[in-house]
Amino acid sequence: MGGAAALEPSRARPGRRGGAGGAAAAAAMEAETWINSINQTNKAALLAWAKETGIDLVQINGQRRYGGPPPGWVGDPPPAGTEVFIGRLPQDMYENTLIPLFQRVGKLYEFRLMMTFSGLNRGFAYAKYSNRHGAKEAIAAFNNFEVKEGYAIVVCKSTEKCELSMDGLATSVSQQELEAVLRRVTKGVLSVTLYTSPWRKRAQLAVLKYTSHQAAAMAKKTLMEGSMRFSGLEMRVDWLNPDMKQKLQSCEKKPSSSQCVQANANGWLWFWCWVVIPGCPVPFSGFAWVRQDGTGRSGHEEAKIALALQVLRMLGESSHSIGANPLPFPKSWSISWECGAVVFLVHGGTQPGRQG
């Protein structure tokens, strides 16, 4: 699709006179006339520039894109750190001004201008360079650069979010099975990693990594609009929160496994626990194997009991050690779960062996 053709507004087809169809057609034509009347001079200049240069500008889902890859590009897309965010743009400024400006400091791989339905830009854009040096030069040259009298733009490093979280997967879903489905319905999948869901019982959370922010954004849109279900369960898809990512990574670094809970063939569950007691210089940590005893309690409930007894025993041994400093003994505690692991949160308390 050529640049000029991609930029031309679609023509509303006149409907029959009278009735709902005629009213809708009239409203559509009125809206088109209003849209075309906005910023006519700059729109005409953009169309002329696109025709003269042969540059293709394709508008999809509220953004207009050049490149990604540009003509003649050979090889893989540029790595992370090559994209810059451009903000505070005049809304009547288009690619015929912006692309030549940002091409001064390096070769552009892609340029994306966010658009309104009326044909004005939304005040921001993204420029991806062929290498990191181009991005650094753009920030140095154009941050606080006055593109128009009274309009100093902001140019900074783009966060380039490329990871999504998909929560609510059944525990029976495997990484290979999920990845195969995602590769069929989305593009640019780099990796799929499964964790025990921190929010839903008996469920998994998947971290989906894509080749670019654009690929991740399109995947998010596809997965959310499709109300994707897997093994009959509804998925919740969102950008991967940095705090969530840190929690999942810390869970992955626990000893012996990338998961906090493991099960063997005989039904035994392995848990890692971390117990924090205010006043103690070092948290308690350890492992426990538990097995459901047929009482109706879940493996998590069995782990809570086993690990509570283990901590009490450790506190008791510490309080009777010769020369040991007495440790705060809790009147009560609450238990929460982080990535499937037991985490005790201990509040208040008295000294071991003392009443009250």
Side-chain angles (χ1 to χ4, degrees), residues 9-10 192 229 287:
S10 58
V192 177
R229 289 179 175 269
F287 308 93

Side-chain angles (χ1 to χ4, degrees), residues 55-326:
I55 283 181
D56 288 335
L57 298 175
V58 181
Q59 186 161 337
I60 302 175
N61 298 324
Q63 60 179 288
R64 198 159 58 206
R65 189 181 71 209
Y66 156 75
W73 180 269
V74 177
D76 297 328
T82 56
E83 185 176 85
V84 298
F85 167 81
I86 307 160
R88 298 183 187 171
L89 287 170
Q91 285 194 276
D92 59 355
M93 184 170 285
Y94 300 122
E95 292 89 343
N96 57 310
T97 299
L98 295 171
I99 287 179
L101 176 67
F102 281 87
Q103 280 179 330
R104 291 182 192 174
V105 295
K107 182 178 180 180
L108 284 175
Y109 173 80
E110 182 181 67
F111 190 92
R112 294 182 290 125
L113 184 63
M114 306 301 117
M115 301 297 296
T116 69
F117 75 96
S118 66
L120 296 172
N121 76 60
R122 292 167 57 193
F124 67 99
Y126 296 88
K128 182 183 281 289
Y129 286 87
S130 60
N131 52 51
R132 294 188 179 97
H133 178 74
K136 290 179 181 178
E137 288 294 309
I139 294 171
F142 301 128
N143 188 38
N144 292 320
F145 179 79
E146 200 168 78
V147 292
K148 185 179 178 181
E149 187 176 355
Y151 287 90
I153 61 174
V154 170
V155 181
C156 59
K157 184 179 178 181
S158 171
T159 55
E160 295 186 79
K161 294 180 180 179
C162 298
E163 293 177 303
L164 303 175
S165 66
M166 176 184 281
D167 199 6
L169 288 161
T171 54
S172 59
V173 176
S174 69
Q175 181 265 334
Q176 293 82 1
E177 184 181 9
L178 176 60
E179 186 172 342
V181 172
L182 291 171
R183 289 191 183 279
R184 286 200 301 269
V185 299
T186 66
K187 295 181 179 180
V189 178
L190 273 182
S191 65
V192 177
T193 308
L194 289 176
Y195 300 88
T196 300
S197 173
W199 314 119
R200 300 190 184 184
K201 292 183 178 180
R202 300 179 182 86
Q204 297 184 96
L205 181 146
V207 172
L208 319 177
K209 189 170 184 178
Y210 285 83
T211 54
S212 66
H213 173 79
Q214 174 70 9
M218 293 303 295
K220 179 175 180 287
K221 185 174 186 296
T222 299
L223 296 174
M224 290 179 67
E225 287 184 349
S227 299
M228 184 178 178
R229 289 179 175 269
F230 211 103
S231 299
L233 299 178
E234 186 175 353
M235 305 296 101
R236 179 181 175 182
V237 182
D238 207 342
W239 293 108
L240 181 62
N241 183 285
D243 292 337
M244 170 64 68
K245 183 176 182 178
Q246 187 175 4
K247 287 182 180 180
L248 295 173
Q249 288 176 339
S250 66
C251 177
E252 190 175 18
K253 293 175 183 176
K254 300 292 189 296
S256 302
S257 175
S258 62
Q259 294 185 337
C260 299
V261 183
Q262 288 185 328
N264 69 5
N266 296 321
W268 285 86
L269 294 172
W270 175 90
F271 287 84
W272 178 89
C273 75
W274 180 49
V275 186
V276 179
I277 302 178
C280 293
V282 179
F284 292 96
S285 62
F287 308 93
W289 283 95
V290 298
R291 188 177 185 182
Q292 291 179 254
D293 59 4
T295 60
R297 289 192 296 260
S298 68
H300 287 163
E301 294 298 322
E302 295 288 349
K304 292 177 186 179
I305 295 170
L307 291 167
L309 292 173
Q310 182 177 330
V311 172
L312 290 172
R313 184 171 61 252
M314 291 162 60
L315 287 170
E317 291 172 355
S318 175
S319 66
H320 289 94
S321 298
I322 298 175
N325 293 323

